[in-house]
Amino acid sequence: AVPPGGRVLDVGTGVGAAALCYAQRVPTAHVSGLELQPTLAELACANVARNELTKQVKILNGDLLAPPEAVSAAGFDQVMANPPYLPAGRADPRIAPEKAISNVEGEAVLVDWIDFCLRMAAPQGTITLIHRADRLDEILARLRGRAGGTVVFPLWPKREVAPKRVLVQARVGIAAPMRISPGLVLHEPNGSYTDIAANVLNEGVGLDL
């Protein structure tokens, strides 16, 4: 959570799912969502209205490489992002163009996303990313010397199955050491959600990173 009245930025908000979940769980926060694709930004605005969160959540259509003035001032207490997972050279060329924008890096590559999040965060503000576990080394390398207290939080598909996704959280401008969290097991052997994953998804319970 952020301090009462704190500012949160969701970079690449898509249709606003993460921004809306955050606003619902932390009702004192002011959340901005930045989305490149106009169609998705329109859907996000509609979702904000349908959830009656227009006073708390604002959606902006724009590019992180040339951000709109409303976010260029930075100073956000929390910046969160779900960047495209794949470099262009590793993506299936048959992927639909509209899906590729969300899943495959374009002009903005992973280091650009991380740099933007760091710039947008206030001093000692927090950035939180979700990404592929096999790109964790790139993320940590870009954060080194610029953010600290880094927490790597693995998302285990099942017990004894290697994680494909990790949450990475860090605070700007501090020098605390990194640690690896036990993380979260998502599914039971039968495929159902574990109790803690179900509580996060259905009840809005927060994760203790």
Side-chain angles (χ1 to χ4, degrees):
V2 295
R7 301 174 67 220
V8 177
L9 178 63
D10 180 23
V11 187
T13 196
V15 297
L20 290 168
C21 287
Y22 197 108
Q24 185 68 33
R25 190 171 65 81
V26 188
T28 59
H30 297 288
V31 184
S32 297
L34 179 64
E35 173 52 43
L36 175 65
Q37 300 184 68
T39 302
L40 295 187
E42 290 177 9
L43 288 171
C45 289
N47 286 334
V48 170
R50 291 183 68 179
N51 284 275
E52 299 180 351
L53 288 169
T54 54
K55 292 183 179 180
Q56 191 183 352
V57 181
K58 305 296 180 187
I59 303 298
L60 303 164
N61 179 211
D63 188 342
L64 65 86
L65 295 177
E69 186 175 348
V71 298
S72 61
F76 289 90
D77 299 285
Q78 167 78 253
V79 182
M80 56 186 184
N82 180 11
Y85 288 152
L86 294 172
R90 290 173 56 186
D92 187 335
R94 296 168 298 179
I95 190 171
E98 62 276 6
K99 187 176 182 181
I101 294 174
S102 299
N103 292 275
V104 183
E105 293 174 353
E107 292 186 25
V109 296
L110 180 56
V111 294
D112 296 315
W113 282 76
I114 295 171
D115 290 351
F116 179 73
C117 290
L118 290 168
R119 289 199 309 273
M120 292 299 102
Q124 300 190 12
T126 300
I127 69 168
T128 306
L129 308 173
I130 184 168
H131 217 288
R132 290 170 58 108
D134 62 6
R135 301 192 72 184
L136 178 59
D137 56 340
E138 298 175 62
I139 296 170
L140 296 179
R142 201 64 178 181
L143 293 176
R144 187 173 297 119
R146 305 167 72 189
T150 304
V151 181
V152 177
F153 188 95
L155 297 171
W156 309 92
K158 294 181 180 179
R159 292 173 181 85
E160 301 181 359
V161 177
K164 295 181 180 180
R165 303 283 182 265
V166 289
L167 288 166
V168 180
Q169 190 171 85
R171 293 181 62 198
V172 175
I174 70 168
M178 188 192 85
R179 62 183 175 86
I180 299 177
S181 168
L184 173 66
V185 178
L186 298 173
H187 296 100
E188 299 288 1
N190 65 5
S192 65
Y193 285 115
T194 59
D195 288 346
I196 186 169
N199 286 338
V200 170
L201 292 168
N202 299 326
E203 306 298 333
V205 173
L207 292 175
D208 183 9
L209 271 62

